[in-house]
Amino acid sequence: MASLLLALLLLSFLHSSTLTTSIASHHVLDPELVVNEVHRSINESRRRLGHVSCGTGNPIDDCWRCDKNWASNRRRLADCAIGFGKHAIGGRDGKIYVVTDPDNDNPVNPKPGTLRHAVIQDEPLWIIFERDMVIKLKEELMMNSFKTIDGRGASVHIAGGPCVTIQYVTNVIIHGISIHDCKQGGNADVRDSPGHFGFRTVSDGDGVSIFGGSHVWVDHCSLSNCHDGLIDAIRGSTAITISNNHLTHHNKVMLLGHSDTYEHDKNMQVTIAFNHFGEGLVQRMPRCRHGYFHVVNNDYTHWEMYAIGGSASPTINSQGNRFLAPNDEFNKEVTKHEDAPESEWRHWNWRSEGDLLLNGAFFTKSGAGASSSYAKASSLGARPSSLVGELTSGAGALSCKKGSHC
């Protein structure tokens, strides 16, 4: 049903009475009516598909959401990752830790039962939440290796203070959390393990900051309105998957790469799959430097400046995405080649393969186009762009109830 809707999207609106009147009156189609109709169709398909819990063709969701006993089999989620971060096992091999206290955040001497106490431990832990809660942190949440933050079964918000930092650690999964209104922290001592705390300078204020981290998977989170980026990965970070997230109301959404001169990012590999880039977004979905980036089967329904950009010759492999351009005639371009003249960026390997480009959207390709150039930027098989509505219908933090499909 969703496929048929999308395939006929730009034809079906011609038969609606409102738009037919517009055509008869003005002889040309009002572009605002066009995009409004597209949005209406997308939203209706999302409402119809939002309750579908399995069999969607989304390989992550189909791996675990069909299990009514997901709450008893939580750690099975770690085996459902895809893309460059597919080996992120988080706390799969550790105990369950239940967060019971959303308050009393002490950055140096965290209390047992708090999220901070859980994430700094040395042993693997699968962290869940006793009930709905809003956690307002006083300083950055410094993650230790082999941790999963699993918000399924509760409405969990990290908001109103500094948020999550994954610095020089490995094997971290963040799933099912709402992260928003993140602030800067710093000029304070913060503990990152039971045996160590140190002085932190002023942080960027990201929702999720990955700094020299590897084997990281951020899945089914809802992110919005942070001080700097929603998800940033810099300083040699790699083996990352960002999937099934709903991102809204933010300017600089996602930065992948520290600087044009920081060549340690040349081996960075990031998969961005099945995300919904929604209302109120401006740019950087993502903005890439160096490295290899697979942008696959995402739904871009809003941007103000551009969707995908980069500098320092990143390899960007865009496959099976749906790009709906804004009405502004000067911002129809999906891509932005930054900080370089055309004589330079025309050699960067950026390709669009099977993308659906709507409302005048266009993707400026570059590079030789040889398939071999994209081997390091290919991490999973893309589904047809006509299925994007179905693949991303559950993007963001899910409302999961024990004993039923999530």
Side-chain angles (χ1 to χ4, degrees):
M1 179 172 60
S3 301
L4 179 60
L5 170 67
L6 293 170
L8 299 177
L9 196 57
L10 296 179
L11 295 176
S12 61
F13 64 76
L14 294 172
H15 300 290
S16 72
S17 58
T18 302
L19 292 174
T20 302
T21 301
S22 174
I23 294 169
S25 303
H26 306 291
H27 305 292
V28 294
L29 206 57
D30 185 336
E32 186 166 354
L33 289 177
V34 173
V35 79
N36 286 343
E37 179 66 14
V38 172
H39 277 299
R40 184 191 64 76
S41 299
I42 289 171
N43 290 335
E44 284 187 357
S45 69
R46 286 188 180 282
R47 283 193 292 272
R48 287 194 295 270
L49 294 166
H51 69 281
V52 178
S53 59
C54 57
T56 64
N58 180 318
I60 297 171
D61 287 359
D62 291 348
C63 176
W64 69 272
R65 288 183 67 185
C66 302
D67 182 6
K68 290 183 178 180
N69 296 317
W70 60 267
S72 301
N73 302 316
R74 286 180 176 274
R75 284 170 285 198
R76 183 187 171 204
L77 176 70
D79 299 323
C80 298
I82 61 166
F84 292 124
K86 66 183 177 182
H87 297 303
I89 62 171
R92 185 192 66 189
D93 299 331
K95 297 178 181 179
I96 298 285
Y97 185 114
V98 182
V99 174
T100 58
D101 184 356
D103 304 312
N104 302 306
D105 181 50
N106 187 320
V108 177
N109 296 301
K111 291 181 59 178
T114 62
L115 178 59
R116 189 180 300 277
H117 183 267
V119 302
I120 66 166
Q121 300 305 310
D122 286 331
E123 70 268 23
L125 290 173
W126 196 278
I127 302 161
I128 65 173
F129 298 84
E130 182 182 54
R131 62 183 185 278
D132 296 353
M133 57 183 69
V134 177
I135 299 172
K136 184 177 180 179
L137 300 164
K138 293 180 179 177
E139 296 295 338
E140 296 167 88
L141 188 74
M142 302 295 296
M143 302 281 300
N144 206 340
S145 295
F146 294 98
K147 300 294 180 293
T148 298
I149 299 177
D150 179 1
R152 289 175 295 174
S155 175
V156 179
H157 295 250
I158 299 175
C163 291
V164 181
T165 297
I166 301 167
Q167 179 168 309
Y168 297 132
V169 296
T170 187
N171 283 279
V172 172
I173 299 172
I174 302 175
H175 180 97
I177 305 290
S178 294
I179 302 173
H180 55 92
D181 299 291
C182 299
K183 313 299 183 185
Q184 290 181 298
N187 289 330
D189 288 331
V190 183
R191 186 171 294 278
D192 58 6
S193 73
H196 177 265
F197 68 87
F199 185 78
R200 299 288 296 174
T201 57
V202 176
S203 65
D204 290 337
D206 297 331
V208 178
S209 174
I210 309 170
F211 189 106
S214 63
H215 300 293
V216 176
W217 182 25
V218 181
D219 185 58
H220 272 298
C221 291
S222 297
L223 301 106
S224 65
N225 193 36
C226 295
H227 183 269
D228 188 28
L230 294 184
I231 304 174
D232 284 4
I234 62 172
R235 290 282 181 174
S237 299
T238 193
I240 298 166
T241 293
I242 299 167
S243 57
N244 291 312
N245 301 292
H246 187 203
L247 306 101
T248 60
H249 300 106
H250 193 77
N251 180 7
K252 299 176 179 179
V253 177
M254 194 181 301
L255 174 66
L256 305 176
H258 180 68
S259 69
D260 288 1
T261 58
Y262 191 78
E263 296 193 358
H264 290 293
D265 283 332
K266 283 191 173 181
N267 293 321
M268 180 183 286
Q269 290 179 300
V270 182
T271 299
I272 300 165
F274 315 127
N275 301 286
H276 179 199
F277 293 93
E279 63 181 343
L281 300 180
V282 179
Q283 59 180 316
R284 297 189 178 184
M285 300 172 238
R287 188 229 193 270
C288 309
R289 293 184 171 109
H290 303 292
Y292 303 90
F293 307 94
H294 196 188
V295 184
V296 54
N297 289 143
N298 300 282
D299 199 7
Y300 292 83
T301 57
H302 298 76
W303 71 80
E304 291 183 21
M305 291 177 60
Y306 68 91
I308 299 173
S311 58
S313 190
T315 296
I316 298 176
N317 185 13
S318 174
Q319 294 184 303
N321 300 287
R322 178 167 65 179
F323 295 103
L324 176 63
N327 286 332
D328 186 342
E329 63 179 308
F330 299 107
N331 291 300
K332 300 289 189 183
E333 186 173 5
V334 170
T335 48
K336 184 179 182 183
H337 296 75
E338 300 199 68
D339 303 328
E342 182 175 354
S343 60
E344 181 179 332
W345 64 249
R346 69 184 181 185
H347 301 292
W348 300 352
N349 288 317
W350 293 19
R351 78 172 175 185
S352 169
E353 187 174 74
D355 291 328
L356 182 62
L357 300 161
L358 300 173
N359 198 39
F362 65 98
F363 187 113
T364 302
K365 303 176 185 179
S366 58
S371 296
S372 59
S373 302
Y374 295 92
K376 291 184 179 180
S378 298
S379 58
L380 66 145
R383 303 297 305 278
S385 57
S386 59
L387 301 178
V388 161
E390 187 171 356
L391 294 169
T392 64
S393 63
L398 298 165
S399 179
C400 298
K401 303 298 181 184
K402 293 181 181 179
S404 62
H405 293 154
C406 192

